[in-house]
Amino acid sequence: MACAHAPRQPQQLCFTSALVPAQGARSIGKAVCAQRAAAMGAKCASSSLLLPNSHVAFQHGAKPLRRTRAIRAIRMMATDEAGSATPLIDLRGKKALVTGIANNKSIAWGIAQSLKQAGAEIGISYLPMSDKVESKIRSLTEPLAPTLFVPLDVQKPEDLEALGKSIASEWGGQVDIVVHCLAFANRDDLTGSFMKTSVEGWNTATTVSAHSLLSLTNAVRPYLTKSASIVTLSYLGAVKVVPNYNVMGVAKAALEASTRYLASELGPDGIRVNAISAGPIRTLASSAIGGIMTMIKHVESVSPLRRTVSQKQVGDTAAFLVSDASAGITGQVIYVDSGYEIMGVGFTE
């Protein structure tokens, strides 16, 4: 065998190609093997890992393993030196700023819970409408034990400046994750004729829903770490006509374009920017859209999975996008909508 037995301290992953047919095999080189082993808290002791077909065999020590047993062995060895499992999505030691939580129906609330579950330290910004609103958000987010809790109206430069100062003083000038869940349009602009959208309504929707991503990014830019990640929320109305979505569709289109431009500009510094296009969920914001419940029922009836999505599903996707598990993804819009976006003509049963 090409792979010699190695001591188990520290853990080693030992792969061999001795039992792999040469024809049709695809090799994952030493660098990739080492990278994967490092991700599992182990070491790679050979030059290649071959995964051609069901005849693949791995070598752990001196005993060859068939594919199923090999996979089981790898999972068992995916531990750190302390012997505890290392999760694929690991946000421990990361500081995550979450914007846009209005109540327990907010998508931002679902995202914050998923980030906390993955180990992130949470910071919350809230729209300072009244003392009652502040008290409500404090009470809701208390289980997340936020270490940063700041008022933020992205249309006010003084609030953005204060956010930066709070990050510097309370978080030691470190931000690893930014979750942008800010959007608003006048209710009158979310029903009826799109052509009748006023200049004021147009500017309000695009400023709050799209330009705020730039404003927020500028405010936290001095504190973003080398591998920081930014995630924002979009919707299908950015690229397809959705009844009554109107000017918000324009705003979300601008948001998605901004995601790409920011990803390009910040990428050389190791900072990633992505968007999640979530299926319709009944939230405080979506309730302003005419016919939202009809829209939700339509998705349930024609999407491939025959259901809408939950806050948790969107939140878990966000946790993936801000983790090292998605280190190769930036500038993308990820659809979390039970597959609705792929449909051409939907037939109900």
Side-chain angles (χ1 to χ4, degrees):
M1 292 292 183
C3 186
H5 182 60
R8 296 184 61 84
Q9 297 294 333
Q11 296 263 24
Q12 288 201 355
L13 301 185
C14 195
F15 306 110
T16 181
S17 59
L19 300 180
V20 178
Q23 189 174 12
R26 61 184 178 86
S27 174
I28 300 176
K30 184 176 181 180
V32 177
C33 179
Q35 182 182 21
R36 292 189 176 183
M40 293 187 290
K43 292 184 178 180
C44 184
S46 73
S47 61
S48 65
L49 166 59
L50 300 176
L51 297 171
N53 50 42
S54 60
H55 298 294
V56 70
F58 295 77
Q59 177 84 0
H60 178 225
K63 185 177 180 180
L65 302 175
R66 303 301 295 179
R67 179 177 171 83
T68 54
R69 290 185 59 203
I71 292 174
R72 189 179 303 118
I74 291 172
R75 287 173 178 168
M76 291 176 65
M77 290 185 287
T79 59
D80 58 25
E81 293 184 2
S84 60
T86 302
L88 180 62
I89 297 178
D90 185 3
L91 301 181
R92 289 174 294 183
K94 304 282 189 179
K95 290 181 168 65
L97 175 66
V98 181
T99 67
I101 296 177
N103 54 37
N104 63 356
K105 302 296 184 183
S106 301
I107 295 177
W109 170 237
I111 293 175
Q113 291 179 92
S114 293
L115 299 186
K116 182 66 175 182
Q117 184 178 0
E121 181 178 342
I122 303 297
I124 301 294
S125 77
Y126 65 94
L127 186 61
M129 298 174 64
S130 66
D131 291 342
K132 184 178 180 180
V133 168
E134 177 183 352
S135 177
K136 178 182 176 181
I137 302 302
R138 278 191 183 276
S139 177
L140 174 65
T141 60
E142 186 177 0
L144 303 180
T147 53
L148 186 71
F149 193 87
V150 293
L152 178 64
D153 183 339
V154 288
Q155 297 186 85
K156 295 182 177 180
E158 60 270 26
D159 279 15
L160 292 164
E161 183 180 354
L163 171 64
K165 291 180 179 179
S166 295
I167 291 171
S169 62
E170 298 180 44
W171 268 6
Q174 173 191 342
V175 179
D176 304 283
I177 298 165
V178 177
V179 179
H180 174 272
C181 298
L182 304 172
F184 178 79
N186 294 325
R187 184 180 289 269
D188 292 343
D189 292 322
L190 297 177
T191 56
S193 173
F194 171 66
M195 288 191 299
K196 294 182 179 179
T197 304
S198 66
V199 172
E200 178 188 1
W202 179 285
N203 290 340
T204 297
T206 54
T207 298
V208 177
S209 308
H211 190 268
S212 62
L213 177 61
L214 278 63
S215 300
L216 182 61
T217 301
N218 273 309
V220 302
R221 179 64 186 91
Y223 313 107
L224 292 176
T225 55
K226 184 67 176 179
S227 59
S229 182
I230 301 171
V231 171
T232 187
L233 285 182
S234 188
Y235 179 60
L236 182 64
V239 294
K240 304 283 180 67
V241 175
V242 175
N244 295 318
Y245 205 57
N246 294 1
V247 71
M248 187 57 76
V250 175
K252 291 298 188 182
L255 180 69
E256 291 188 6
S258 300
T259 296
R260 291 185 285 272
Y261 277 92
L262 282 175
S264 175
E265 185 171 331
L266 298 176
D269 293 325
I271 300 168
R272 298 184 297 114
V273 187
N274 291 290
I276 295 174
S277 184
I281 298 175
R282 185 65 184 271
T283 65
L284 181 63
S286 69
S287 64
I289 302 170
I292 181 64
M293 291 309 300
T294 301
M295 196 182 306
I296 290 174
K297 290 178 180 178
H298 177 67
V299 170
E300 289 175 339
S301 65
V302 305
S303 67
L305 295 179
R306 296 298 190 271
R307 63 173 185 257
T308 54
V309 295
S310 66
Q311 291 170 298
K312 177 172 173 52
Q313 289 165 345
V314 178
D316 289 350
T317 302
F320 162 72
L321 285 175
V322 301
S323 74
D324 291 340
S326 65
I329 301 175
T330 194
Q332 302 301 310
V333 178
I334 308 298
Y335 286 88
V336 184
D337 62 355
S338 296
Y340 182 78
E341 185 271 338
I342 70 170
M343 300 301 292
V345 178
F347 295 97
T348 57
E349 298 177 353

